Amino acid sequence: KCRTGPLDIVFVIDSSRSVRPFEFETMRRFMVDIIGSLDVGPNATRVGLIQYSSQVQNIFSLKTFFTRADMEKAINSIVPLAQGTMTGLAIQYVMNVAFTTQEGARPLHKKIPRIAIIVTDGRPQDRVTEVATQARNAGIEIYAVGIQRADMNSLRAMASPPLEEHVFLVESFELIQQFGKQFQDKLCGVDMCVAQDHGCQHSCVSTPSSFYCECNPGYRLNADGKTCSPIDACADGRHGCQHQCISTRGSYSCHCRAGYHLNQDRRSCSMIDYCSFRNHSCQHECVSIPNGHYCRCHSGFTLQPDARSCRATDLCNGVDHGCEFKCVSMEGSYRCVCPEGQQLQADGKACTKCRAGHIDLVMVIDGSKSVRPQNFELVKQFVNGIVDLLEVSPHGTRVGLVQYSSRVRTEFPLNKYHSADEIKKAVMEMEYMEKGTMTGLALKHMVEHSFSELEGARPLSHNVPRIGLVFTDGRSQDDISEWARRAKESGIIMFAVGVGKAVEEELRAIASEPVEQHFSYSADFTTMTHLVENFKLNICPEEGKGVTEIRSPCECEALVQFQTNTVAILQSLTEKNILWAPSLAQLTARLEGLEKQMANKK
């Protein structure tokens, strides 16, 4: 078998009237013998066959058959045309039709040899020189096989150089089969990949007179024609992976960030529900977050140091009570109150929005590793609590947000969103950065970029207050003094909010004068709701003038409650024979008398 590599071969057989029937049979056997020596297949050698006389007839094309048995059956079914000898017309058909990709020829860039084997017994009745030159220039290698009466000059005009390797003259049809064995050796030739140092990085493919290099699947051939480079299937951006695309030898696979799993579509990602594993040990509620979970307590309870169990607490400090101005705790409940001159709204929580004037507010929040994911969710709630205080609009208050750790990232500038709902949605979608605490770098970014007119700050000539709020939970890893000073010198009113291990000295260095009104501290993330109220009283000072309602314990409502509780206690004691019945009656009468006196005073 010829195993020097894939070929595209087209037999061009002369079936003019000068070829007698028994002579045509020897031509059939010649073709069958040649095909029998080839490694035939769609990815190996492909074979086509045309016959010609005064016209050209396609017997089968390069894409028709891929087994020797099918080809042999088609060869044995040929009916000779028995007319003239238009060899030039046949070469024209080979060039324009037979070796096109539509008919099964492999593209030229694959460098698979295109070979035409012309077998004729006479002189052409048309011109062959010019059309044969065109065919050779188109990349077709032509073997010219003449039998008996063939014209040698015509054979030489058709064949490819060197002529001694491409022109053959067989004395008679009887000798063509013997010639076929010699022609097989000529067609297969020397395995050029073995005969010389080919230099191919992956694999070498031999052709009858040369070779070419091929790359393994997942690689492409470089311009030098020998070395190979991996194909980056992710580079074109059409992979559709939601998180990450990983290139793997001509293909790719989608991966998800930590804390997410790949969905069935193999492209999109969903957050892993760690709470569904039912091993969290949370006393009340489990909340899933990327890379883990945290425990949350019901309203009126505080999470304990073990981060799992809950204990009842001061509701105003332990739950998100939602009071806009102030929360007043009561036993097992709470109520909201408003400043003097303002009415509590129907929701029992809201008062009046801050109307101290329009401001440009940029919040700079600490996203370092020490904050931890569950606390970062509380920081988001803190930010949105401040947003709830403000009347956000393009011509009213504008809000920008910056997160920092070892680097600084603008989450959104002052001119990005024009409503509180848009801002709160963007805050909840913000991703936690982790890593270090470069507070000084964050202050520099705020001064140079966040309060620039390019990012939405209004010109200083408009006299719109510029307020910067820095939120941190620890000591800065760089110097803050210079950029804290520059911020205040540039007219920015600076507020500093610290939680946990925040350093008071740094908070005071950041805060504007008077310092006591511009910095706040909370020992724990879960009890920092009062920080929002402190901030509101400082940016909306007229709302701090109100007086919280203090109800007298002697008022009617309090007296009735006292009476009810006392009667219940006395009744209990009586049932236990601790007090006599007459004593209970006397006490009850006394309480009723007090109640009447209060009514008369009203």
Side-chain angles (χ1 to χ4, degrees), residues 76-239:
N76 290 329
S77 300
I78 300 174
V79 177
L81 298 173
Q83 297 173 0
T85 311
M86 302 294 284
T87 310
L89 180 65
I91 296 173
Q92 186 79 38
Y93 182 90
V94 167
M95 179 174 61
N96 294 341
V97 180
F99 278 114
T100 62
T101 54
Q102 292 84 352
E103 291 296 304
R106 265 74 64 96
L108 288 171
H109 70 82
K110 290 194 174 182
K111 298 182 180 179
I112 293 176
R114 296 181 172 183
I115 297 174
I117 303 174
I118 303 173
V119 182
T120 181
D121 79 327
R123 183 188 298 273
Q125 294 176 340
D126 58 355
R127 297 188 178 187
V128 297
T129 303
E130 182 178 351
V131 70
T133 300
Q134 293 175 357
R136 293 193 300 269
N137 291 339
I140 300 172
E141 185 177 4
I142 300 177
Y143 286 86
V145 181
I147 303 174
Q148 201 167 287
R149 299 173 293 277
D151 178 58
M152 179 58 76
N153 291 330
S154 298
L155 298 176
R156 295 172 66 87
M158 292 186 287
S160 296
L163 297 179
E164 61 271 17
E165 294 183 7
H166 292 83
V167 176
F168 304 93
L169 184 60
V170 183
E171 294 180 357
S172 67
F173 281 94
E174 289 78 7
L175 298 175
I176 193 168
Q177 277 189 282
Q178 181 180 353
F179 161 75
K181 294 181 175 58
Q182 299 173 357
F183 185 76
Q184 291 171 19
D185 296 336
K186 181 65 66 175
L187 186 63
C188 293
V190 178
D191 188 341
M192 301 298 287
C193 292
V194 176
Q196 58 182 316
D197 182 13
H198 51 77
C200 298
Q201 182 179 356
H202 285 182
S203 59
C204 174
V205 179
S206 183
T207 63
S209 57
S210 184
F211 69 90
Y212 63 91
C213 299
E214 279 190 347
C215 296
N216 296 335
Y219 293 81
R220 64 165 58 92
L221 194 65
N222 295 327
D224 60 7
K226 295 181 181 295
T227 60
C228 302
S229 297
I231 297 173
D232 186 356
C234 296
D236 61 9
R238 295 181 295 178
H239 47 77

Side-chain angles (χ1 to χ4, degrees), residues 283-285 287 295-304 309-322 327 329-334 349 381 526 529:
Q283 182 179 350
H284 285 184
E285 300 175 17
V287 180
C295 297
R296 184 168 62 193
C297 297
H298 298 326
S299 297
F301 294 81
T302 300
L303 193 66
Q304 297 306 292
S309 57
C310 302
R311 187 175 66 185
T313 186
D314 179 359
L315 290 180
C316 286
N317 286 325
V319 300
D320 181 14
H321 53 75
C327 173
S329 291
M330 299 183 296
E331 185 176 353
S333 184
Y334 66 88
K349 299 177 184 288
Q381 296 175 19
T526 60
T529 53

Side-chain angles (χ1 to χ4, degrees), residues 18-19 32 50 58 94 172 181 225 236 357 364 427 445 467 527 582 585:
S18 61
V19 180
V32 169
I50 65 172
N58 181 45
V94 167
S172 67
K181 294 181 175 58
D236 61 9
V364 182
V427 170
H445 180 90
I467 296 178
T527 60

Side-chain angles (χ1 to χ4, degrees), residues 189-378:
V190 178
D191 188 341
M192 301 298 287
C193 292
V194 176
Q196 58 182 316
D197 182 13
H198 51 77
C200 298
Q201 182 179 356
H202 285 182
S203 59
C204 174
V205 179
S206 183
T207 63
S209 57
S210 184
F211 69 90
Y212 63 91
C213 299
E214 279 190 347
C215 296
N216 296 335
Y219 293 81
R220 64 165 58 92
L221 194 65
N222 295 327
D224 60 7
K226 295 181 181 295
T227 60
C228 302
S229 297
I231 297 173
D232 186 356
C234 296
D236 61 9
R238 295 181 295 178
H239 47 77
C241 298
Q242 183 179 356
H243 285 183
Q244 299 172 339
C245 177
I246 307 298
S247 185
T248 53
R249 293 190 177 183
S251 184
Y252 68 89
S253 60
C254 296
H255 288 211
C256 297
R257 294 194 294 267
Y260 292 79
H261 65 82
L262 196 64
N263 294 327
Q264 290 185 350
D265 61 7
R266 314 305 298 168
R267 285 176 170 79
S268 61
C269 301
S270 296
M271 191 172 74
I272 297 172
D273 184 3
Y274 289 96
C275 294
S276 66
F277 300 159
R278 300 189 180 279
N279 59 354
H280 49 75
S281 303
C282 296
Q283 182 179 350
H284 285 184
E285 300 175 17
C286 174
V287 180
S288 286
I289 57 173
N291 298 322
H293 72 279
Y294 68 93
C295 297
R296 184 168 62 193
C297 297
H298 298 326
S299 297
F301 294 81
T302 300
L303 193 66
Q304 297 306 292
D306 63 4
R308 291 181 173 82
S309 57
C310 302
R311 187 175 66 185
T313 186
D314 179 359
L315 290 180
C316 286
N317 286 325
V319 300
D320 181 14
H321 53 75
C323 296
E324 184 174 348
F325 177 67
K326 181 166 287 188
C327 173
V328 178
S329 291
M330 299 183 296
E331 185 176 353
S333 184
Y334 66 88
R335 63 188 177 93
C336 300
V337 297
C338 293
E340 184 178 3
Q342 295 187 26
Q343 295 294 321
L344 194 65
Q345 301 299 309
D347 63 0
K349 299 177 184 288
C351 298
T352 305
K353 293 291 185 183
C354 174
R355 302 183 185 276
H358 302 149
I359 61 172
D360 285 345
L361 170 64
V362 174
M363 289 179 275
V364 182
I365 63 171
D366 184 348
S368 61
K369 188 175 182 180
S370 61
V371 174
R372 297 189 299 178
Q374 59 268 37
N375 290 333
F376 193 72
E377 295 301 313
L378 297 176

Side-chain angles (χ1 to χ4, degrees), residues 398-412:
R398 299 181 183 179
V399 179
L401 181 62
V402 172
Q403 184 185 175
Y404 73 95
S405 57
S406 299
R407 56 189 179 88
V408 184
R409 181 174 73 204
T410 296
E411 299 295 346
F412 51 84

Side-chain angles (χ1 to χ4, degrees), residues 330 335 549 551-564 598 602:
M330 299 183 296
R335 63 188 177 93
E549 179 184 7
R551 301 193 64 182
S552 169
C554 295
E555 287 188 7
C556 180
E557 182 181 342
L559 261 179
V560 171
Q561 184 65 46
F562 172 74
Q563 178 187 2
T564 302
M598 291 298 299
K602 290 286 186 180

